[in-house]
Amino acid sequence: MRRNRNDQEASLRAPVSPLVPRLLPARPRAAVLLLHGGREAGLTPSRPWHPAVLRMRPFHRAIEAALPHGDVVLARVRYRLRGWNDVRADPVPDTLDALNRLAELVGPVPTVLVGHSMGARAALHAAGHPQVCAVLALAPWWPSGEPVHQLAGRQVVVLHGEDDRVTSPVDSADCVRRARGTAAGAAMGVVRDGDHAMLRRHRFWHRTAASVVAHLLDPTAHPDPLPGQCYGPGDAPLL
């Protein structure tokens, strides 16, 4: 009886894993890790019922449907705290820890990070992890001057709403421009009438994000849903 109680107490003290699998195939060829948004500052715990977490559920479903062979790990990052919190950048170590645990679980499979808002910022900072092959940023919070050197050899794709009033499409475009020449590929498209919460034209957001992920993982089998202008030096096209 004492041993059982000790086991329970040890379980309560054990740290909660930042890796939350949704789909875990026996022999995965790749992985997709979703990172939800958050707050600029916030030291309260992140919870699975917060709107920022729930907002990513349709993306999980759309991506799973776009990868019908069931050979891709689909998971999300569980943050300890709700905020970025200035130089602490709290979601970044959570993301790196999740990537390390993913590597331990399934081996060194190519992984696409899909992040929204603050989650896209965490994905950008974690892109240098050896597990990462690409980043899909949805309405990213990328303040001016964000680093891009860690994108070397990676693909980066940005979808930003035309009417986003929370994060800046201009800052996103600047980051994509600076990433060109460093990243293996860098693209940006602007979602016509799109807002930060990705509620307006939500089906387009979900469908396009899923198609981009499928293309990033297997460009031969899945054509690029984005027009070539997204990869060019001019202004990002309206989608």
Side-chain angles (χ1 to χ4, degrees):
M1 192 70 170
R2 179 179 296 276
R3 186 175 64 181
N4 289 342
R5 184 162 56 247
N6 290 342
D7 289 344
Q8 292 173 357
E9 291 173 354
S11 176
L12 289 172
R13 291 194 300 268
V16 177
S17 173
L19 181 68
V20 183
R22 173 185 172 95
L23 184 66
L24 189 61
R27 292 182 177 84
R29 64 175 176 87
V32 180
L33 196 56
L34 278 78
L35 296 88
H36 61 79
R39 297 177 172 179
E40 183 174 355
L43 296 175
T44 57
S46 179
R47 300 301 189 195
W49 56 82
H50 288 155
V53 183
L54 298 177
R55 187 171 292 124
M56 298 304 287
R57 286 188 176 179
F59 289 94
H60 279 271
R61 292 192 291 268
I63 292 169
E64 185 174 354
L67 303 169
H69 300 297
D71 57 357
V72 175
V73 176
L74 188 58
R76 71 173 176 88
V77 176
R78 188 198 331 252
Y79 307 140
R80 292 164 295 120
L81 304 173
R82 298 185 78 173
W84 182 268
N85 300 320
D86 199 24
V87 296
R88 289 173 47 140
D90 282 304
V92 178
D94 296 335
T95 303
L96 294 172
D97 191 6
L99 286 164
N100 288 336
R101 290 173 186 251
L102 178 65
E104 293 171 359
L105 188 63
V106 300
V109 297
T111 301
V112 176
L113 301 180
V114 180
H116 172 237
S117 192
M118 183 187 76
R121 191 177 186 186
L124 178 65
H125 282 250
H129 190 281
Q131 201 86 347
V132 177
C133 68
V135 171
L136 170 58
L138 307 171
W141 174 34
W142 285 353
S144 179
E146 285 292 90
V148 296
H149 62 87
Q150 72 280 7
L151 291 170
R154 278 78 172 165
Q155 302 277 346
V156 59
V157 177
V158 174
L159 298 176
H160 213 128
E162 180 184 26
D163 295 333
D164 195 324
R165 297 295 180 263
V166 178
T167 60
S168 169
V170 174
D171 287 344
S172 293
D174 174 69
C175 193
V176 169
R177 280 193 296 269
R178 290 187 293 110
R180 292 192 173 114
T182 298
M188 179 172 172
V190 177
V191 178
R192 190 187 303 273
D193 299 325
D195 61 339
H196 185 71
M198 305 176 296
L199 296 176
R200 295 206 299 267
R201 300 190 65 197
H202 59 277
R203 292 184 180 87
F204 178 86
W205 281 99
H206 303 155
R207 181 177 67 249
T208 305
S211 297
V212 167
V213 168
H215 173 72
L216 289 169
L217 289 176
D218 192 350
T220 302
H222 300 279
D224 193 341
L226 301 179
Q229 189 182 350
C230 291
Y231 297 86
D235 293 340
L238 284 173
L239 303 177

